[in-house]
Amino acid sequence: MSGSEAPGLYIHIPFCRSRCGYCTFASGVYSAETADTYLTALLQEIAAKDITEPSTIFIGGGTPTVLSPDQLDRLLSSLPRPGVGAEFTCEVNPDTATREKLSLLKSHGVNRLSFGVQTFSPDGLRLLGRCHDDRTAIAAVELALEMGFPAVNLDLIHGWPGQDTASLINDLKQAVALGVNHLSTYSLILDESVPRYDVFINLLGSEETDSERFAEFFQISHEFLSGSGFDHYETSNYANPGYACQHNRNIWRGGEYWGVGLAAHSHRSRRRYANTANMAEYLEGAGNPARLEVFTETLDPETKARETAVFWLRLYEGIELDRFKKLTGFDFLTLYQDIAQGLLTKGWLDYSPDKRFIRVPLRYQPILDTILVDLV
């Protein structure tokens, strides 16, 4: 079962200039020597998995553009090619967005950039531990648009300690004014493992207050961006018509994907598996992908159907019930029976019998995780 003709491909580059205070991703500080060794292993893994013509490519991190131009060229030159016109995304941090590196990306077919801006507030950037300032972020995005990249996304984080509604609206105004065609807006979610966890918790205050604030910020973002020509197509994602992220949309609709690199996850033929997050183990075992796996699980058809439902309901368009049955073999309303009826009674799900779709209403998107947990 797949949401597209071929799986997407995610490539993890686990290096940054420095570690941000909120980051939980598998990444470390860039070293040219370690990066060279890592790229050798990464390309061995890709070759061993015999990956050909993925439906989409997404290079993430870390910071892929922290690599040197030579390293970036080596990586891009060795990747399998996606189909003609396929989405090819690379994440970029503003402080590493040089003209030389962006030219390399474009020459190798990258047609979508995703900038980790997070906020344009100087106070917010310092608190989050970002390596760039607001002027650097603006200049980097303007450069990408000037160079003709057809799709550009900005990642924004809201709910950081001290952020008020005026700061949030300023971030949204600045992003829209730049002329990008996609925005991802995430609430600050903290894990005890992040470098500045205690600092953030002490500054944020009570969880109840945070929940109310995040719900307010969600509503402000929706109203402002919807009024600025963006479709709110997923709980944290907005796009101008035709610019939704196809790589992620495939995953949310139950599609398959390869993941390569440190700590990367894959999902193929109902088997879900993950690579080691230990760099030494990864470098040693990359030529034999089975040695990299620290987790594997084969889903039975019903479990896969339930997982597909949970991911698909993140999309505001909702689940196309006929398509869901064709993909999974299960009727949604039969699969969930009393659970679905209870959610419909509460108003947490909308059901359209004539149009054959079911979705989470916008007003309940801020508590999406609470709703979806009943459907796992």
Side-chain angles (χ1 to χ4, degrees):
M1 180 183 71
S2 173
S4 63
E5 293 183 1
L9 171 61
Y10 173 78
I11 301 158
H12 190 65
I13 305 299
F15 305 109
C16 293
R17 281 184 59 192
S18 63
R19 287 277 289 173
C20 296
Y22 58 88
C23 182
T24 59
F25 294 118
S27 64
V29 176
Y30 171 79
S31 152
E33 182 178 357
T34 304
D36 276 335
T37 306
Y38 179 79
L39 289 177
T40 297
L42 180 71
L43 297 177
Q44 286 176 342
E45 183 189 1
I46 292 173
K49 286 184 172 178
D50 193 27
I51 297 171
T52 56
E53 202 168 311
S55 59
T56 56
I57 297 180
F58 195 112
I59 306 175
T63 306
T65 48
V66 78
L67 297 175
S68 71
D70 286 345
Q71 289 169 336
L72 200 55
D73 187 50
R74 178 187 174 197
L75 170 65
L76 294 165
S77 299
S78 305
L79 294 180
R81 295 292 95 187
V84 176
E87 182 185 87
F88 189 169
T89 301
C90 185
E91 290 184 344
V92 184
N93 270 3
D95 55 294
T96 60
T98 65
R99 184 177 290 273
E100 180 181 14
K101 291 181 181 180
L102 295 189
S103 295
L104 269 172
L105 293 175
K106 193 174 183 186
S107 69
H108 284 286
V110 172
N111 52 26
R112 183 175 184 273
L113 299 181
S114 182
F115 281 93
V117 171
Q118 316 314 356
T119 179
F120 293 99
S121 161
D123 289 342
L125 290 168
R126 282 191 295 270
L127 181 67
L128 294 170
R130 303 298 289 167
C131 291
H132 64 271
D133 58 22
D134 57 328
R135 290 171 297 178
T136 302
I138 292 169
V141 175
E142 288 178 339
L143 175 61
L145 294 171
E146 172 201 319
M147 293 177 68
F149 282 91
V152 177
N153 169 65
L154 299 190
D155 281 351
L156 297 175
I157 290 179
H158 61 254
W160 41 267
Q163 187 182 34
D164 55 19
T165 56
S167 172
L168 171 66
I169 292 170
N170 182 68
D171 279 350
L172 299 172
K173 284 183 176 178
Q174 181 64 76
V176 170
L178 282 169
V180 300
N181 41 41
H182 193 286
L183 285 168
S184 299
T185 62
Y186 302 108
S187 298
L188 178 65
I189 303 296
L190 296 176
D191 184 273
E192 291 184 5
S193 65
V194 302
R196 305 199 70 195
Y197 177 78
D198 290 339
V199 173
F200 285 135
I201 289 298
N202 288 337
L203 290 171
L204 279 170
S206 72
E207 289 186 9
E208 181 179 356
T209 301
D210 292 339
S211 297
E212 293 172 356
R213 188 163 61 118
F214 288 155
E216 179 188 12
F217 284 4
F218 176 93
Q219 189 63 34
I220 290 171
S221 299
H222 170 79
E223 291 176 0
F224 183 90
L225 294 174
S226 296
S228 301
F230 286 81
D231 293 332
H232 191 177
Y233 74 98
E234 192 269 345
T235 187
S236 300
N237 286 276
Y238 300 80
N240 290 153
Y243 288 95
C245 179
Q246 297 308 307
H247 181 86
N248 288 336
R249 197 172 208 163
N250 173 55
I251 294 171
W252 291 323
R253 285 177 164 175
E256 297 186 342
Y257 51 93
W258 289 287
V260 295
L262 192 73
H265 289 241
S266 302
H267 197 151
R268 300 290 319 283
S269 301
R270 298 208 316 267
R271 189 170 82 90
R272 186 169 49 203
Y273 49 102
N275 284 350
T276 178
N278 181 286
M279 180 66 82
E281 292 176 358
Y282 180 79
L283 297 177
E284 183 180 348
N288 182 357
R291 291 182 57 193
L292 299 176
E293 294 176 16
V294 292
F295 166 82
T296 182
E297 177 184 25
T298 300
L299 305 180
D300 61 73
E302 181 176 333
T303 301
K304 173 59 179 172
R306 289 176 178 273
E307 182 178 278
T308 299
V310 167
F311 277 109
W312 205 335
L313 281 170
R314 294 186 63 85
L315 292 168
Y316 184 60
E317 67 192 31
I319 295 176
E320 303 163 52
L321 296 182
D322 293 336
R323 185 177 180 186
F324 179 83
K325 186 172 183 178
K326 183 178 179 181
L327 283 173
T328 68
F330 290 85
D331 177 79
F332 180 92
L333 296 175
T334 303
L335 179 65
Y336 288 108
Q337 297 182 13
D338 294 343
I339 296 174
Q341 188 55 55
L343 294 175
L344 288 165
T345 300
K346 289 180 179 179
W348 288 3
L349 288 180
D350 272 344
Y351 174 46
S352 172
D354 55 333
K355 296 182 179 179
R356 294 290 294 159
F357 74 83
I358 197 160
R359 68 182 181 186
V360 177
L362 177 70
R363 63 187 179 278
Y364 292 120
Q365 290 283 329
I367 60 166
L368 186 67
D369 290 343
T370 301
I371 296 169
L372 296 183
V373 72
D374 289 334
L375 303 177
V376 175

